[in-house]
Amino acid sequence: MKKKVLYIEDEQFLARIVKETLELKGYEVLHKKDGGRLIDLLQSFSPDICVLDVMLPNIDGYTLGSTIRNIYPQLPVIFLTAKTQTSDILKGFSSGGTDYLKKPFSMEELMVRIENQLKLAAPKEDASIETQEEVALGKYLFSPGRYELQIKGTIIKLSSRESEILSILCKHANKTTDRKKLLYAVWGDDSFFNSRNLDVYIRKLRDYLSQDDGITIITLKGKGYHFTVPGI
Amino acid sequence: MKKKVLYIEDEQFLARIVKETLELKGYEVLHKKDGGRLIDLLQSFSPDICVLDVMLPNIDGYTLGSTIRNIYPQLPVIFLTAKTQTSDILKGFSSGGTDYLKKPFSMEELMVRIENQLKLAAPKEDASIETQEEVALGKYLFSPGRYELQIKGTIIKLSSRESEILSILCKHANKTTDRKKLLYAVWGDDSFFNSRNLDVYIRKLRDYLSQDDGITIITLKGKGYHFTVPGI
DNA sequence: GGGAATTAAGGTTAATTAAGGTTAATGAAT
DNA sequence: ATTCATTAACCTTAATTAACCTTAATTCCC
């Protein structure tokens, strides 16, 4: 998926070069000469990053930056400007900028700073499965955050318990998940009833996951489950 | 808790100024003249950010940067250098730098860039609604202060309760909002009646937000709601 | 030692109960 | 006189409990 850059710049000549260079690098670029109807633009275009000139007709770049930061707390914003006074730079960062590049700059520097900002804004890797975006399970796509299991475009809605248990199994994909630990993780105890209860959920999950026979939840009696998933 | 800066710089005079300025700003600074025993340093000092001069005796800054990036994928690294060639900058970013500052620089700029890197590295905070007058919710724009939800130019007026509940959901966007806490936050108790009452409001909000199917309020029975919003 | 009896562990399906959803009616506050 | 908030009555669905079934592992006996 192409990353989208919203680029606001009034100098036509520079704008053209930047836009073309970005497009050559594989970005989708929306260039505007001023910040009019910014909020609409953000919503319809939904950029991954904004590159703003500071000296603009009508509304200046800093104001636009603040607006963006206000509405999209996480969206990277790079300011471009000939203003080189320290106070301008400070203003840039306090207006929600995540980087500040002084004109004149080389195209390469802009490119690498854009890449860098996108990398920094990307979801942090070290997060546990709770915050994890999506996991590929064979032909399925599991989105713990959305409580969904997707296969060939059809979406299976999971309940919170189902999703919770599947998440735990995923954490031990192709290894064994201890039954007792699973029970404790989900219910906080390993009573007889919850043990039956777990059986019920395992059956449901097996059922949901039956469309890919590379995926199996193997029972290891007295131990737990071995969740086999191809290609993890 | 003081943020810790690991600062590697061989120019004694500059180093002293930077160190003192940082300390004045409330940072804990460990200054070294070279990158010897870097790995030990990182582990014992466990800095929140590294500031590296590039031109160093023995091992150069880029090499140190790469080492850091390998071991600590998320740790911010700012390069400081008189090298101003584009190729040097590219090298800085490809060596795991998260920012690059050309010498000579103003202390203020260094300070603000350090702050900025720390902010970017910080675990993504939920947009604290209090300070925002507007939040983008997918195709919608929510203005808690005005009790308005806007979509494609049309304005949906929210009642105070509706707005209040939506604000709370926004605070936990893409995470789960505890039902009990929600009830307490809004009504101060979790009586049966208010619980039904909450259901009523959730239904209304689902209805208002139904025009963007990236937005969902998922019920987690026994827990609460998971408000999913794209791009937050 | 090899195969039937025993038993513990888990599986299946259905019933129950608890949590929440929906819609409409009532009550409070402008 | 409306608009918003609450209460009410009834509906739907997830989670749990229950009853009964199957399978793997021991044990027992010859």
Side-chain angles (χ1 to χ4, degrees):
Chain A
M1 185 72 166
K2 276 187 177 183
K3 290 284 180 184
K4 292 186 278 186
V5 181
L6 176 62
Y7 176 35
I8 302 182
E9 169 70 74
D10 64 330
E11 291 175 41
Q12 288 287 29
F13 184 71
L14 176 64
R16 210 180 128 193
I17 298 173
V18 169
K19 184 169 192 286
E20 283 177 8
T21 311
L22 278 166
E23 282 169 347
L24 247 142
K25 279 269 183 182
Y27 292 100
E28 186 179 337
V29 182
L30 179 63
H31 167 241
K32 290 280 163 182
K33 287 191 265 306
D34 63 65
R37 310 205 52 65
L38 176 67
I39 294 174
D40 287 352
L41 273 180
L42 290 167
Q43 292 199 297
S44 57
F45 185 58
S46 61
D48 297 292
I49 187 167
C50 298
V51 178
L52 308 180
D53 186 28
V54 173
M55 308 272 263
L56 290 169
N58 309 320
I59 315 163
D60 74 293
Y62 295 137
T63 309
L64 298 179
S66 301
T67 305
I68 293 169
R69 182 58 57 248
N70 188 35
I71 306 177
Y72 293 91
Q74 309 295 344
L75 188 61
V77 170
I78 300 181
F79 286 113
L80 300 180
T81 179
K83 293 191 175 197
T84 176
Q85 294 285 311
T86 294
S87 64
D88 294 312
I89 298 168
L90 301 187
K91 197 165 175 197
F93 282 102
S94 71
S95 306
T98 54
D99 202 355
Y100 191 99
L101 186 49
K102 292 161 215 163
K103 291 184 184 177
F105 51 82
S106 71
M107 281 302 132
E108 288 97 334
E109 180 164 4
L110 177 59
M111 294 303 130
V112 81
R113 284 194 182 267
I114 287 174
E115 265 171 51
N116 184 51
Q117 286 300 320
L118 288 172
K119 205 174 353 171
L120 293 178
K124 308 263 147 98
E125 274 306 305
D126 56 9
S128 61
I129 196 128
E130 268 77 31
T131 59
Q132 199 174 320
E133 296 296 301
E134 291 177 328
V135 199
L137 300 175
K139 296 176 188 165
Y140 292 86
L141 190 66
F142 173 40
S143 315
R146 306 186 68 87
Y147 303 87
E148 284 177 3
L149 204 51
Q150 227 174 310
I151 182 162
K152 294 178 216 149
T154 62
I155 291 172
I156 301 166
K157 280 296 218 177
L158 300 182
S159 78
S160 68
R161 277 275 191 264
E162 290 161 0
S163 188
E164 194 180 355
I165 292 168
L166 184 54
S167 289
I168 296 172
L169 290 176
C170 285
K171 274 191 213 166
H172 307 278
N174 297 320
K175 289 192 292 180
T176 106
T177 308
D178 187 78
R179 187 182 170 93
K180 208 158 192 169
K181 282 186 190 160
L182 185 52
L183 281 162
Y184 271 93
V186 179
W187 287 279
D189 67 62
D190 65 340
S191 68
F192 170 79
F193 288 128
N194 288 332
S195 192
R196 294 311 92 242
N197 209 184
L198 175 59
D199 297 338
V200 172
Y201 282 108
I202 291 292
R203 205 202 76 79
K204 285 183 183 171
L205 290 176
R206 279 177 173 147
D207 195 26
Y208 293 145
L209 294 168
S210 62
Q211 288 180 64
D212 183 339
D213 34 69
I215 300 176
T216 49
I217 303 176
I218 298 165
T219 304
L220 304 171
K221 224 164 173 172
K223 294 184 184 65
Y225 295 101
H226 189 102
F227 184 42
T228 44
V229 186
I232 282 200
Chain B
M1 184 74 166
K2 277 187 177 183
K3 291 285 180 182
K4 291 186 280 184
V5 181
L6 175 61
Y7 175 36
I8 302 182
E9 169 69 74
D10 64 330
E11 290 175 40
Q12 289 286 27
F13 185 70
L14 175 63
R16 211 180 127 191
I17 298 174
V18 169
K19 184 169 192 286
E20 282 177 8
T21 312
L22 279 165
E23 283 169 347
L24 248 141
K25 280 269 182 183
Y27 292 100
E28 186 179 337
V29 182
L30 179 61
H31 167 241
K32 289 281 166 183
K33 285 192 267 307
D34 62 64
R37 311 205 53 65
L38 175 67
I39 295 174
D40 288 352
L41 274 181
L42 290 169
Q43 298 200 315
S44 58
F45 184 57
S46 63
D48 296 292
I49 188 167
C50 298
V51 178
L52 308 179
D53 186 28
V54 172
M55 307 273 263
L56 290 168
N58 309 318
I59 316 164
D60 73 295
Y62 295 139
T63 309
L64 299 178
S66 303
T67 306
I68 293 168
R69 183 58 57 248
N70 265 325
I71 311 178
Y72 295 92
Q74 309 294 343
L75 187 61
V77 170
I78 301 181
F79 287 113
L80 299 180
T81 180
K83 292 190 176 199
T84 176
Q85 293 287 310
T86 294
S87 64
D88 293 312
I89 297 168
L90 300 187
K91 198 166 175 196
F93 281 104
S94 71
S95 307
T98 55
D99 203 354
Y100 191 99
L101 186 51
K102 292 161 214 162
K103 291 184 183 178
F105 51 82
S106 71
M107 281 303 132
E108 287 97 334
E109 179 165 3
L110 177 59
M111 294 303 129
V112 81
R113 283 192 182 267
I114 287 174
E115 266 171 50
N116 183 51
Q117 285 300 321
L118 288 172
K119 207 175 351 173
L120 292 178
K124 312 240 157 127
E125 281 297 306
D126 311 310
S128 103
I129 277 287
E130 270 80 24
T131 61
Q132 287 182 244
E133 50 278 12
E134 294 181 316
V135 204
L137 299 176
K139 296 177 188 163
Y140 293 85
L141 192 66
F142 173 39
S143 314
R146 293 227 213 78
Y147 304 92
E148 282 178 5
L149 203 52
Q150 224 174 311
I151 182 162
K152 294 180 217 148
T154 63
I155 291 173
I156 301 165
K157 275 301 228 175
L158 299 182
S159 77
S160 67
R161 278 275 191 261
E162 289 162 359
S163 188
E164 192 182 356
I165 292 168
L166 184 55
S167 289
I168 295 172
L169 291 176
C170 285
K171 275 192 216 169
H172 308 278
N174 297 319
K175 289 195 297 177
T176 104
T177 308
D178 187 80
R179 187 182 170 95
K180 210 158 191 169
K181 283 186 190 159
L182 185 51
L183 281 162
Y184 271 93
V186 179
W187 288 280
D189 67 63
D190 65 340
S191 68
F192 171 79
F193 290 126
N194 288 332
S195 192
R196 294 311 93 241
N197 208 185
L198 175 58
D199 297 337
V200 171
Y201 283 107
I202 291 292
R203 205 203 76 79
K204 286 182 183 172
L205 290 176
R206 279 178 174 147
D207 196 26
Y208 294 145
L209 294 168
S210 62
Q211 288 180 65
D212 182 340
D213 35 66
I215 300 177
T216 49
I217 304 176
I218 298 167
T219 303
L220 306 174
K221 225 164 172 171
K223 294 186 183 66
Y225 294 102
H226 191 108
F227 185 42
T228 47
V229 187
I232 283 200

